[in-house]
Amino acid sequence: MTFVRDTAIDLPVHCLLDADGQLAPHTPAAGRDPALWRRAYAHMRLVRRFDERIYQLQRTGRLGTYASCLGQEALSTAIGLAMQADDVLAPYYRDQAAQLLRGVRMVEILRYWGGDERGSDFAGPREDLPDCVPIATQIPHAAGIATAIKLRQQKRAVLATIGDGGTSRGDFYEALNLAGVWHLPLVVVINNNQWAISVPLSAQTACRTLAQKAMAAGIPGVRVDGNDVLAMHAVVGEALARARAGKGPTLIEAITYRLCDHTTADDMSRYADAAQRDAAQGREPLRRLRALLEREAGWSEEDEAALQRGQGEVIEAAIAEYLATPAAPPTDMFDYLFAELPEELLEQRAALVEKREQTSSAPTAPAPSGRGGE
Amino acid sequence: MTFVRDTAIDLPVHCLLDADGQLAPHTPAAGRDPALWRRAYAHMRLVRRFDERIYQLQRTGRLGTYASCLGQEALSTAIGLAMQADDVLAPYYRDQAAQLLRGVRMVEILRYWGGDERGSDFAGPREDLPDCVPIATQIPHAAGIATAIKLRQQKRAVLATIGDGGTSRGDFYEALNLAGVWHLPLVVVINNNQWAISVPLSAQTACRTLAQKAMAAGIPGVRVDGNDVLAMHAVVGEALARARAGKGPTLIEAITYRLCDHTTADDMSRYADAAQRDAAQGREPLRRLRALLEREAGWSEEDEAALQRGQGEVIEAAIAEYLATPAAPPTDMFDYLFAELPEELLEQRAALVEKREQTSSAPTAPAPSGRGGE
Amino acid sequence: MLITLVEAVDLALARALREDENVVVLGEDVGRNGGVFRATVGLREQFGPRRVLDTPLAENLIAGISVGMAAQGLRPVAEIQFFGFIYAALEHLISHAARLRNRTRGRLTCPLTVRVPFGGGIHAPEHHSESTEALLAHIPGLKVVAVSSPRTAYGLLLAAIRDPDPVIVLEPERLYRSVKEEVTDNGEALPLGRCLTWREGRDVTLVSWGAMVQDCLNAAAELERGGISCEVIDVASLRPLDMATILDSVAATGRCVIVHEACRSGGFGAEIAARIAESGLELIAPLRRVAAPDVIVPYLKLEPLYLPDTADVIAAVRAVMEDA
Amino acid sequence: MLITLVEAVDLALARALREDENVVVLGEDVGRNGGVFRATVGLREQFGPRRVLDTPLAENLIAGISVGMAAQGLRPVAEIQFFGFIYAALEHLISHAARLRNRTRGRLTCPLTVRVPFGGGIHAPEHHSESTEALLAHIPGLKVVAVSSPRTAYGLLLAAIRDPDPVIVLEPERLYRSVKEEVTDNGEALPLGRCLTWREGRDVTLVSWGAMVQDCLNAAAELERGGISCEVIDVASLRPLDMATILDSVAATGRCVIVHEACRSGGFGAEIAARIAESGLELIAPLRRVAAPDVIVPYLKLEPLYLPDTADVIAAVRAVMEDA
Ligand SMILES: Cc1ncc(C[n+]2csc(CCOP(=O)(O)OP(=O)(O)O)c2C)c(N)n1
Ligand SMILES: Cc1ncc(C[n+]2csc(CCOP(=O)(O)OP(=O)(O)O)c2C)c(N)n1
Ligand SMILES: [Mg+2]
Ligand SMILES: [Mg+2]
């Protein structure tokens, strides 16, 4: 007899809206509401346009390295739509769509990527975490926020996002395990876009699914088509409701594809197969939702044009506001270090002011970004 | 419809020799060999006696803080028996049994716990790692060793051990995940003794089993009664054979119970329920193997007495050698830092020699250990 | 009451838990067990399992969730069981705890306290006697304090917990039970960012922190008999550093010996030495450092020869007195 | 050939891979992608996927498996993508890589090299411009070198890989492509543990490493025109530190300015300053440090004002010339 056996399980990929824009028969009522379709579509369209414009700004040296969310708008839009205002978002760096829905302003997003800390002082969702750069570290933070919520017996949930590459870091497992044992109101959504910079998922893990990693924490794991905004909305909504109701954490693997370079400092053609990318293009989220809208909700070319016109104006206004942002006082680098600046640093602060005066010609706008690593 | 569902799986606990010493009908041939029973029994008996004596040495101030393996001798003995000489062991700190079988000398173990680095300069298994104190960090090391073995296309395996508490650290998951994706010849055995110092397993994870954590790495996970040396031997043997044959890694959860304080610095009565411990006593490994030996292999009181007499002598000789160990030259703290001592440190080394001469009365034997934390 | 340092820690924690419902104690074995050093004894019984949390075994996680808890306005007081296990927690302390306020321009803050037993002298296993506090003292956004007695433990820990920013509190293992002092549980904190001058003197300034402060006091008492008068400054707060007190003293004595248990090179003593050198003060003799050698903390058999001690301090003071 | 610093790194790696079959390059994106900075371009193609390994995304793991690989006699050359992500790797570097030889009394060793891009100036996102090398330079058992040009990158990296003990190699991001130098691929290593004196001078000793060496050279050239003669010492090897070269120079010039990009307090410059202070050398003017302020590295908009630069070095030199 043998004792060591494969213990793999099969987890289905939930999908309600297929690549051709057909709605599955088991779509729940919420997913059948054309108002949701329109809202989701409009937002994804906005995000895509915004993303393109940010890319251009970067290319013309008006902004730092940028991580596009091209082709991954559905997952983040669904998150933004499913979350309640008093839930807390712990994003990574491709969550522009969710952030905007939660009230982060475009100009704040532009400032952040433009290299200005003020971009993370969100006027809107004051408790949401800012973008997290060190991969996976936001998951323990989210677990900590969920701990606070649980200790205070509030009915709120925390949602954190992470990439497929991020699931290789200890932070991810440690925090999920805690969420399990402390039964925290936490939802973790993996944007499985198949790449961590140049490393394909097959070189990241031997797991057939990322959702099964939930089993290491004793919590539910769910797979969903991340390009299907309706399925995403349903699954995330259910997981959040469970969390708020004290039913514990959920891990969600949202399957997408990174239809862009990793960031503006990357060149995907060095390592990725163009054919694979082209195939993924056929599953991208906007086209399929538009097909549904056209077929079932009378969405017309005029609707589309009007939408895009309106959105263009909003985006350009935000960009104008960004470009007109007055430079931050250099002393900001001292003034937010502690609640009160220690005496020890007064002299250094004064020296900075002096240096600033001497070199008032110093560039405060970013010089065009070179090959800035990733 | 709901999307979020419990994804728990049930994994059986393999057991061949039950708590009453009855052999299961499906016991493979290797497990039916009385020579194995005798060898395993003799070794477990040796380890238990050695462990008791170390404890006494600690209590009388002749040794530092010590982590006993009381009640967990079977799992480590099975590992020692199943491994081949050219496999590599990456132990934690309750693997005295496996280490002895692999050729680590008793006096080396005593020196290590006595606070002498020379104890880890094993004369025997030169490639085995020394005891690992920072919890779980040995698992990536073991994966690294397995990587070297794999890159060199050798037919050897690496076995690493870890406690149940250790499975909460990122190191454990990160290394298992790597072992999965690189298909490494690695076997990880969890000594699930139900406690991490004072923290019970139920406060460590929500997982019903620790073996299921293997699913986060896409590798097989197996549960086994860690107090059943025959089942352990069979399972570990199979996993090692798989590893050597290029069939990849295995995670094994060995279920035991810590029948002792965490270390000599701990007092289990502060947090553990005595009744639970008493119940676990009934499943301890020596009694059941002895029952089998008596019933099926004619093991007599005389056999037992002779065994214990012989072992007592071996142990006392090792202790005498330990106590007679000449003090290490203090300059050892410089002389093994680098292959060659940098000039920068020559002066400090000279200063130490001088200090040593001035304070030749300085205690080099350890003072009795106070409450040294864990 | 006359209590040990570890009892003073427990007392301060109980006071903090009582006075602010946002205070939460967490770590490995801090609850049911009362801490491996017994620094949290009785807290879980008194304040319940919602205020005193036994975490899973993961230092990175402890630091990480503490950041999240603090972002919500809790005041987590996390214990890292031994300094040698803090390395796994550094990413969250350095890249997040220290930065959250700055990163969000004050929107989110991190009122976190991390307590860590540090230093050697208790015959513990490997990794249980580390004092690499210099790693933390170099990080903008962190405050780092080292206690040296029951009273400073009580006062500085309370200050750390009440501070709106992350503070690391270093507790010397070998002083946990070896000294007793009269401590009044009056809720009075000591100021952060201030040196404490424990003894005034004319000839030499001894600058130290943690367990070595006791060695400096012992050395000063001994040297006094030989007619050498030492001022003993307990740095207490490595960051922010109260350099003014040190410079004033060194200006008066003209001699300085910096004493720490950490290994010499790159220890925080170097920073104090550098600032004295930059100050332009004219010293009577070059400053000296008393520190462990630049080697790995040996196991317990060789540890006594590794640790700097009172005799080393005395020798260094004698040397600076002769150097002139 | 005239090449950039990043090309010199690539060249040294290829040389090391060729000359020793135990050398293995590993890290995030080092294989298929050739590294996010292009420091490992072509290596996987040339030496195959058994010599150049793309790891999963986990710095702690990269360091941990490197220790195990090294214990087996491989010579892993691990890349940590940016210095700001090394914190997760510190436990394995500090508690294991640095200790394996000592812990086993020489039975097992750790011939590991860790390459890390460090420092700012490339307009990168948060955490991509750190230079907290002082954390590593304080750890007994680690060697730490910082390269400053294509030639030193080639020579010191080869030395690090051939060294039988763990060596951290710091590569300044902003010099990767900004300077070109003639490098001969002759397999000649530079010695570890030796300062490199790039320019001799009479009046002031400039002590620096990494990217700031270029600023020191620029400053020296500029100051020369005003009649001030600077000696420029590239520390190159922070640990072991070649203090003799520095002290000899300072003894001759009587003035010293220590320049590093890391924030001032607790930076490795403090150690050099402390040793000068202990040396008893009589300086003409107090030594000075040029360093970043003790704040978190700002995002790119404010970064130019944060980074110390040539002008700062010039100002400091002028100041020590006037101080006397
Ligand atoms: C701790 C850490 N290591 C390395 C990096 C550099 N880095 C930035 S993004 C990235 C890949 C992330 O991949 P994934 O998690 O799949 O997210 P994606 O970018 O694909 O959405 C890497 C390696 C980082 N930011 N943090
Ligand atoms: C990184 C780290 N954190 C904390 C400790 C202190 N410590 C030593 S043993 C232990 C509990 C380990 O429990 P488990 O992994 O279950 O192993 P067991 O001792 O029960 O065999 C702890 C917390 C340590 N050695 N290393
Ligand atoms: Mg990805
Ligand atoms: Mg255990």
Side-chain angles (χ1 to χ4, degrees):
Chain A
M1 91 168 264
T2 58
F3 299 95
V4 181
R5 267 175 257 155
D6 196 10
T7 40
I9 51 166
D10 275 315
L11 295 172
V13 179
H14 294 295
C15 181
L16 298 176
L17 180 69
D18 73 14
D20 301 320
Q22 300 292 342
L23 218 48
H26 62 279
T27 304
R32 298 186 173 281
D33 179 1
L36 174 68
W37 306 345
R38 266 188 229 102
R39 179 130 195 253
Y41 180 73
H43 191 68
M44 297 198 296
R45 180 55 73 211
L46 178 76
V47 169
R48 182 158 300 178
R49 173 79 166 265
F50 185 43
D51 190 83
E52 279 164 17
R53 290 291 287 118
I54 298 181
Y55 211 87
Q56 289 162 3
L57 287 170
Q58 194 283 334
R59 284 292 184 244
T60 51
R62 321 290 277 274
L63 200 110
T65 304
Y66 175 66
S68 159
C69 59
L70 182 68
Q72 300 143 79
E73 300 88 353
L75 124 123
S76 189
T77 296
I79 289 169
L81 290 172
M83 287 182 75
Q84 295 183 355
D86 66 348
D87 292 336
V88 181
L89 177 67
Y92 79 126
Y93 47 74
R94 293 194 208 276
D95 286 301
Q96 296 86 340
Q99 288 180 318
L100 288 171
L101 283 169
R102 292 187 56 69
V104 176
R105 299 176 57 218
M106 282 186 180
V107 68
E108 290 167 341
I109 291 179
L110 289 163
R111 283 181 188 140
Y112 170 77
W113 293 101
D116 183 340
E117 289 83 350
R118 291 173 299 178
S120 294
D121 181 14
F122 308 150
R126 299 290 291 171
E127 296 182 41
D128 283 8
L129 292 185
D131 282 25
C132 186
V133 173
I135 300 293
T137 54
Q138 71 278 16
I139 312 296
H141 303 163
I145 296 172
T147 300
I149 287 175
K150 167 134 191 162
L151 293 177
R152 288 169 168 159
Q153 296 171 292
Q154 299 166 341
K155 293 208 178 331
R156 309 195 288 153
V158 184
L159 188 144
T161 58
I162 186 171
D164 46 313
T167 67
S168 289
R169 281 204 20 140
D171 284 89
F172 169 74
Y173 303 98
E174 291 180 352
L176 279 192
N177 184 59
L178 184 82
V181 69
W182 286 4
H183 215 61
L184 297 177
L186 177 67
V187 178
V188 173
V189 179
I190 305 168
N191 175 2
N192 179 1
N193 64 10
Q194 315 300 326
W195 294 100
I197 310 188
S198 70
V199 178
L201 186 62
S202 60
Q204 197 70 244
T205 186
C207 283
R208 285 199 296 223
T209 76
L210 295 177
Q212 78 190 50
K213 292 191 182 246
M215 307 217 31
I219 68 172
V222 189
R223 302 185 84 197
V224 53
D225 182 338
N227 288 344
D228 168 358
V229 73
L230 301 179
M232 271 305 296
H233 185 251
V235 171
V236 172
E238 186 183 325
L240 286 169
R242 282 173 58 100
R244 288 183 211 108
K247 293 189 182 152
T250 307
L251 176 66
I252 298 170
E253 175 190 3
I255 299 161
T256 65
Y257 194 90
R258 202 189 74 206
L259 284 175
C260 49
D261 292 337
H262 169 68
T263 64
T264 48
D266 178 51
D267 174 3
M268 195 172 182
S269 72
R270 287 205 294 254
Y271 51 79
D273 178 24
Q276 193 194 48
R277 184 166 162 172
D278 291 346
Q281 197 76 50
R283 300 189 54 80
E284 73 88 14
L286 264 81
R287 219 179 34 96
R288 55 168 110 171
L289 187 52
R290 182 160 172 191
L292 176 71
L293 274 172
E294 285 174 359
R295 209 181 47 250
E296 309 273 339
W299 187 259
S300 66
E301 282 297 339
E302 294 74 57
D303 290 335
E304 184 74 25
L307 180 73
Q308 296 208 21
R309 214 174 318 109
Q311 292 184 341
E313 282 163 24
V314 171
I315 291 168
E316 297 314 317
I319 291 172
E321 190 182 350
Y322 162 65
L323 293 174
T325 305
T331 44
D332 273 10
M333 67 176 91
F334 285 90
D335 295 344
Y336 294 96
L337 203 51
F338 297 107
E340 203 180 326
L341 190 69
E343 266 176 57
E344 189 187 10
L345 297 181
L346 291 176
E347 207 179 306
Q348 294 187 9
R349 187 177 183 281
L352 177 77
V353 173
E354 203 183 308
K355 177 172 173 178
R356 176 78 178 106
E357 276 158 12
Q358 280 163 11
T359 61
S360 51
S361 63
T364 51
S369 177
R371 177 171 276 134
E374 23 101 76
Chain B
M1 94 167 262
T2 58
F3 300 95
V4 181
R5 265 175 258 156
D6 196 11
T7 40
I9 52 164
D10 274 316
L11 295 171
V13 179
H14 293 296
C15 182
L16 299 176
L17 179 69
D18 73 13
D20 301 321
Q22 300 290 343
L23 217 51
H26 63 278
T27 305
R32 297 185 174 278
D33 179 1
L36 174 67
W37 305 346
R38 266 188 230 105
R39 180 132 193 252
Y41 181 73
H43 191 68
M44 297 198 297
R45 179 56 73 209
L46 178 77
V47 169
R48 182 158 301 177
R49 173 80 166 265
F50 184 44
D51 191 84
E52 279 165 17
R53 290 291 287 121
I54 299 180
Y55 211 87
Q56 288 161 4
L57 287 170
Q58 194 283 334
R59 283 293 183 245
T60 52
R62 322 290 277 274
L63 200 111
T65 304
Y66 175 66
S68 160
C69 59
L70 183 67
Q72 299 144 80
E73 299 89 351
L75 122 121
S76 190
T77 295
I79 289 169
L81 291 172
M83 288 182 77
Q84 295 182 355
D86 67 349
D87 292 337
V88 181
L89 177 67
Y92 78 125
Y93 46 75
R94 291 193 209 278
D95 287 300
Q96 296 88 339
Q99 288 181 317
L100 288 171
L101 283 169
R102 291 187 56 69
V104 177
R105 298 176 58 216
M106 282 186 179
V107 69
E108 289 168 342
I109 292 179
L110 290 164
R111 282 182 188 139
Y112 170 77
W113 292 102
D116 182 340
E117 287 83 351
R118 291 173 299 177
S120 294
D121 182 14
F122 308 150
R126 300 292 291 172
E127 296 182 40
D128 283 9
L129 292 184
D131 283 26
C132 186
V133 173
I135 300 293
T137 54
Q138 71 277 16
I139 312 298
H141 303 164
I145 296 172
T147 300
I149 287 174
K150 168 137 191 158
L151 293 177
R152 288 170 168 160
Q153 296 172 292
Q154 299 166 341
K155 292 208 177 334
R156 309 195 288 152
V158 184
L159 187 144
T161 59
I162 186 172
D164 46 310
T167 66
S168 289
R169 283 207 14 145
D171 284 89
F172 169 75
Y173 304 98
E174 291 181 352
L176 279 191
N177 184 59
L178 183 81
V181 69
W182 286 3
H183 215 61
L184 297 177
L186 176 67
V187 178
V188 174
V189 179
I190 304 168
N191 175 1
N192 178 0
N193 65 10
Q194 316 299 327
W195 294 99
I197 308 187
S198 70
V199 178
L201 186 62
S202 60
Q204 197 70 245
T205 186
C207 283
R208 284 198 297 220
T209 77
L210 295 178
Q212 81 191 48
K213 292 191 181 246
M215 307 214 33
I219 68 172
V222 190
R223 302 186 84 198
V224 51
D225 181 339
N227 288 344
D228 168 358
V229 72
L230 301 179
M232 272 303 297
H233 185 252
V235 171
V236 171
E238 185 182 327
L240 286 169
R242 281 173 58 101
R244 289 185 211 107
K247 294 190 181 150
T250 307
L251 177 66
I252 298 171
E253 174 189 4
I255 299 161
T256 65
Y257 193 90
R258 200 188 77 206
L259 284 175
C260 49
D261 292 336
H262 169 68
T263 64
T264 48
D266 178 49
D267 175 2
M268 196 171 181
S269 72
R270 286 205 294 254
Y271 50 80
D273 179 24
Q276 192 194 47
R277 184 166 163 173
D278 291 347
Q281 197 76 49
R283 299 188 54 79
E284 72 88 14
L286 265 81
R287 219 179 35 97
R288 54 168 111 170
L289 186 54
R290 182 163 171 188
L292 175 71
L293 273 174
E294 285 175 0
R295 209 180 47 250
E296 309 272 339
W299 186 258
S300 66
E301 280 298 338
E302 293 74 58
D303 291 336
E304 182 75 26
L307 179 74
Q308 297 210 17
R309 213 172 321 111
Q311 292 185 338
E313 281 163 24
V314 171
I315 291 168
E316 296 315 316
I319 291 173
E321 191 183 349
Y322 162 64
L323 293 175
T325 305
T331 42
D332 274 11
M333 67 176 89
F334 285 90
D335 295 345
Y336 294 96
L337 204 50
F338 296 106
E340 204 181 324
L341 191 68
E343 266 176 57
E344 190 186 12
L345 296 181
L346 291 176
E347 207 180 305
Q348 293 188 8
R349 188 177 183 279
L352 177 75
V353 172
E354 203 185 306
K355 177 171 173 179
R356 176 77 178 106
E357 276 156 13
Q358 279 163 13
T359 60
S360 50
S361 63
T364 51
S369 176
R371 178 173 276 135
E374 23 99 79
Chain C
M1 52 202 135
L2 194 66
I3 56 175
T4 61
L5 198 160
V6 75
E7 287 163 345
V9 169
D10 206 359
L11 202 64
L13 290 172
R15 159 74 62 167
L17 282 159
R18 213 175 307 118
E19 77 182 10
D20 183 349
E21 65 178 15
N22 288 315
V23 172
V24 174
V25 168
L26 74 160
E28 297 161 8
D29 305 290
V30 298
R32 296 169 185 81
N33 193 34
V36 293
F37 280 108
R38 327 290 301 128
T40 55
V41 168
L43 298 181
R44 189 173 163 112
E45 291 73 8
Q46 206 181 333
F47 299 97
R50 294 181 168 277
R51 306 289 303 285
V52 184
L53 314 175
D54 276 327
T55 65
L57 203 174
E59 289 73 13
N60 176 68
L61 177 74
I62 292 170
I65 62 170
S66 294
V67 170
M69 290 164 76
Q72 280 286 310
L74 290 180
R75 290 184 176 258
V77 185
E79 174 178 302
I80 298 293
Q81 215 161 63
F82 289 87
F83 200 91
F85 306 132
I86 206 171
Y87 303 122
L90 287 185
E91 179 166 51
H92 282 285
L93 296 180
I94 295 175
S95 295
H96 294 296
R99 290 172 176 237
L100 193 57
R101 177 190 293 277
N102 186 69
R103 177 182 295 146
T104 62
R105 287 298 182 247
R107 179 171 63 84
L108 297 171
T109 63
C110 192
L112 162 64
T113 301
V114 180
R115 296 180 36 247
V116 207
F118 85 125
I122 62 160
H123 310 291
E126 197 188 359
H127 304 289
H128 289 65
S129 307
E130 314 297 304
S131 50
T132 38
E133 66 273 9
L135 274 56
L136 298 162
H138 181 44
I139 304 301
L142 293 184
K143 296 182 180 177
V144 182
V145 309
V147 310
S148 63
S149 67
R151 238 182 266 166
T152 59
Y154 180 84
L156 289 171
L157 181 53
L158 275 184
I161 297 172
R162 292 176 192 158
D163 193 88
D165 290 301
V167 185
I168 317 288
V169 180
L170 304 164
E171 301 169 357
E173 292 170 20
R174 73 166 168 281
L175 297 191
Y176 264 145
R177 284 161 212 293
S178 65
V179 286
K180 286 202 175 192
E181 207 177 25
E182 197 61 42
V183 177
T184 317
D185 183 14
N186 56 7
E188 272 178 31
L190 284 166
L192 296 181
R194 287 275 163 268
C195 290
L196 302 165
T197 303
W198 292 128
R199 184 184 176 116
E200 306 202 332
R202 290 178 320 273
D203 299 320
V204 183
T205 302
L206 297 179
V207 180
S208 187
W209 58 90
M212 295 309 298
V213 172
Q214 297 297 330
D215 288 283
C216 289
L217 288 170
N218 295 344
E222 168 78 24
L223 288 159
E224 184 83 85
R225 271 170 248 142
I228 301 176
S229 159
C230 297
E231 182 134 317
V232 178
I233 296 181
D234 178 352
V235 173
S237 177
L238 304 190
R239 303 300 308 281
L241 176 63
D242 168 16
M243 202 57 209
T245 298
I246 297 171
L247 287 177
D248 284 352
S249 172
V250 175
T253 61
R255 298 184 187 87
C256 182
V257 174
I258 301 163
V259 180
H260 59 64
E261 188 179 317
C263 71
R264 170 181 305 263
S265 294
F268 195 68
E271 178 59 31
I272 295 172
R275 294 207 200 171
I276 292 172
E278 289 170 320
S279 73
L281 278 183
E282 303 266 349
L283 301 193
I284 301 169
L287 60 81
R288 289 190 172 238
R289 286 181 287 172
V290 172
D294 290 329
V295 303
I296 291 157
V297 186
Y299 291 7
L300 60 87
K301 285 245 158 95
L302 292 181
E303 195 197 18
L305 274 161
Y306 163 86
L307 287 177
D309 58 18
T310 302
D312 294 324
V313 179
I314 291 173
V317 170
R318 293 234 160 89
V320 290
M321 291 304 293
E322 281 159 25
D323 267 358
Chain D
M1 54 202 134
L2 194 65
I3 56 175
T4 62
L5 199 160
V6 76
E7 287 163 345
V9 169
D10 206 359
L11 202 63
L13 290 173
R15 159 73 61 166
L17 283 159
R18 214 174 308 117
E19 77 182 10
D20 183 350
E21 64 178 16
N22 288 314
V23 172
V24 174
V25 167
L26 73 161
E28 295 161 9
D29 305 289
V30 297
R32 297 170 184 78
N33 193 35
V36 293
F37 279 108
R38 325 290 303 129
T40 55
V41 167
L43 299 181
R44 190 175 161 109
E45 291 73 8
Q46 206 180 330
F47 299 96
R50 293 180 169 277
R51 307 288 305 284
V52 184
L53 314 174
D54 275 327
T55 66
L57 202 173
E59 289 74 13
N60 177 68
L61 178 74
I62 293 170
I65 62 169
S66 294
V67 170
M69 291 164 77
Q72 281 286 308
L74 291 180
R75 290 183 175 261
V77 184
E79 175 177 301
I80 298 293
Q81 213 160 65
F82 289 87
F83 200 92
F85 305 133
I86 205 172
Y87 303 121
L90 287 184
E91 178 165 53
H92 282 285
L93 296 180
I94 296 175
S95 295
H96 294 296
R99 290 173 177 237
L100 193 57
R101 177 190 292 277
N102 185 68
R103 178 182 294 147
T104 62
R105 286 299 182 249
R107 180 170 62 84
L108 297 172
T109 63
C110 193
L112 162 65
T113 301
V114 181
R115 295 180 38 247
V116 206
F118 84 127
I122 62 159
H123 311 291
E126 196 188 1
H127 304 289
H128 289 65
S129 308
E130 315 297 305
S131 51
T132 39
E133 65 274 9
L135 274 55
L136 298 163
H138 181 43
I139 303 301
L142 292 184
K143 297 182 179 176
V144 181
V145 309
V147 310
S148 63
S149 67
R151 240 182 266 167
T152 61
Y154 180 84
L156 289 171
L157 181 53
L158 275 185
I161 296 172
R162 293 176 190 158
D163 194 88
D165 289 300
V167 185
I168 318 289
V169 180
L170 304 164
E171 302 169 358
E173 293 170 21
R174 75 167 167 279
L175 299 191
Y176 266 144
R177 285 160 212 293
S178 65
V179 285
K180 285 201 178 195
E181 206 176 25
E182 197 61 43
V183 177
T184 318
D185 183 14
N186 55 7
E188 272 178 32
L190 284 166
L192 297 181
R194 288 275 161 269
C195 290
L196 302 165
T197 303
W198 292 127
R199 184 183 176 116
E200 305 203 332
R202 287 177 323 271
D203 298 321
V204 184
T205 303
L206 297 180
V207 180
S208 188
W209 58 90
M212 295 308 299
V213 171
Q214 297 296 332
D215 289 283
C216 289
L217 289 169
N218 296 345
E222 167 78 25
L223 287 159
E224 184 84 83
R225 270 170 249 143
I228 301 176
S229 159
C230 295
E231 181 136 316
V232 178
I233 296 180
D234 178 352
V235 173
S237 177
L238 304 189
R239 303 302 306 283
L241 177 62
D242 168 16
M243 202 58 209
T245 299
I246 298 172
L247 288 177
D248 284 353
S249 172
V250 175
T253 61
R255 298 184 186 86
C256 183
V257 174
I258 301 163
V259 180
H260 59 65
E261 188 179 317
C263 72
R264 170 180 304 263
S265 294
F268 195 68
E271 178 59 30
I272 295 172
R275 294 206 200 171
I276 293 172
E278 288 171 321
S279 73
L281 280 183
E282 303 267 347
L283 302 192
I284 301 168
L287 60 83
R288 288 188 174 241
R289 285 181 288 172
V290 172
D294 290 329
V295 303
I296 292 157
V297 186
Y299 292 7
L300 61 87
K301 286 247 157 94
L302 292 181
E303 194 196 19
L305 275 160
Y306 162 85
L307 288 177
D309 58 20
T310 302
D312 294 324
V313 178
I314 292 172
V317 170
R318 294 233 159 89
V320 291
M321 291 305 293
E322 281 159 24
D323 268 358

